Amino acid sequence: MPGRPPRRRLSPEERRRQIVAAAKALFSGEGIEHVSMRKIAKEVGITQAAIYQHFENKEAILFVIIEDFFSDLLEALSRAIESEAQPLERLRRAMRAYIDYGLSHPEAYRLVFMTPMSGLVRAGMAVPRTEEAKARPSKGSLAFGVLDGAVREAVNRGMTRHGDTDLLAEAIWAGGHGIVSLMITHNEFPWTDPEGLIDLEIDLLFRGLLHEGCPMRSKMFPTV
């Protein structure tokens, strides 16, 4: 139209980011199972054929969303532990950073951790102990590796009452996920003291983690 500047053509990378942003909003608002590639294309303002030039299917878009989430989470975890050498304190800081990040990104957390997804997407989130994840670690693998590495060091130093590092890492992650998912799902519940609840949850996990004779137990819990 006369007087209207020509519309700038987006680069492939810009278009991909636009598609991912639209899909993320639709997935969060309507649920993954109710969102089609056609609906995403319509939201972006392109044809269904055009969207397949950038992503082969819905799961490919999901994988990008997941990798972006874990990339930011990994950065938050790395900042939290970068100046700490003691494995238990690193673990505590990592747990707190994980919980804080999840609570500050509730929609993304709900999408990544609280939505059923297919095996293809889950494969991209494999923990570092699998051979495939070791060879080609995803951001999810690297993020879990921060927790897993601190747990393994604590076990190797004889600090824990259990020696199964895989089981311990999963149990600690489950504890952190539990409080994040509960507080996201029931965000209107009149929690007595949200910050105190998080600190107490972490303390309870650590009291169960450390064996009675561990010197760090008395340092972390002087009244126990």
Side-chain angles (χ1 to χ4, degrees):
M1 294 181 63
R4 176 178 294 181
R7 179 179 297 179
R8 184 176 70 86
R9 185 179 181 86
L10 297 181
S11 69
E13 183 57 34
E14 288 174 320
R15 181 65 77 189
R16 283 174 62 88
R17 287 199 297 267
Q18 186 184 46
I19 291 169
V20 169
K24 184 177 179 181
L26 288 170
F27 291 155
S28 297
E30 302 182 22
I32 296 170
E33 67 279 8
H34 299 301
V35 176
S36 64
M37 290 290 277
R38 176 179 293 180
K39 183 175 286 189
I40 297 170
K42 183 178 180 180
E43 183 71 16
V44 173
I46 60 177
T47 66
Q48 186 174 358
I51 197 172
Y52 285 107
Q53 297 175 12
H54 301 278
F55 294 98
E56 62 179 338
N57 53 36
K58 191 165 58 173
E59 289 187 328
I61 303 175
L62 271 170
F63 185 79
V64 173
I65 294 172
I66 290 170
E67 285 286 274
D68 286 347
F69 173 89
F70 279 120
S71 180
D72 291 342
L73 174 59
L74 178 60
E75 185 177 339
L77 294 175
S78 298
R79 284 198 307 268
I81 68 169
E82 61 184 354
S83 61
E84 182 56 55
Q86 212 285 330
L88 291 177
E89 188 57 37
R90 283 207 314 276
L91 185 57
R92 178 190 283 273
R93 292 187 183 188
M95 282 195 65
R96 183 64 204 225
Y98 177 93
I99 292 170
D100 288 344
Y101 184 84
L103 292 177
S104 62
H105 299 81
E107 292 306 319
Y109 192 93
R110 189 192 298 272
L111 181 61
V112 173
F113 282 118
M114 301 167 66
T115 305
M117 298 182 190
S118 73
L120 177 61
V121 176
R122 288 294 182 196
M125 300 165 61
V127 296
R129 65 180 69 106
T130 66
E131 293 305 317
E132 180 183 358
K134 290 177 183 177
R136 300 178 60 186
S138 66
K139 295 296 184 180
S141 297
L142 294 173
F144 187 82
V146 175
L147 168 69
D148 196 62
V151 170
R152 289 179 183 278
E153 187 173 351
V155 170
N156 291 338
R157 291 191 185 188
M159 297 176 170
T160 63
R161 63 173 76 218
H162 299 286
D164 189 327
T165 54
D166 292 345
L167 192 60
L168 281 175
E170 290 171 2
I172 292 171
W173 175 35
H177 168 69
I179 197 165
V180 174
S181 59
L182 183 64
M183 296 182 83
I184 287 175
T185 304
H186 300 285
N187 62 319
E188 295 182 359
F189 184 83
W191 301 103
T192 302
D193 177 6
E195 290 297 311
L197 176 63
I198 294 170
D199 289 338
L200 180 58
E201 175 73 13
I202 294 174
D203 280 352
L204 291 174
L205 283 170
F206 271 78
R207 293 187 192 202
L209 173 70
L210 303 178
H211 68 71
E212 298 295 337
C214 177
M216 283 301 298
R217 185 180 179 87
S218 58
K219 290 181 181 180
M220 297 178 80
F221 311 108
T223 59
V224 179

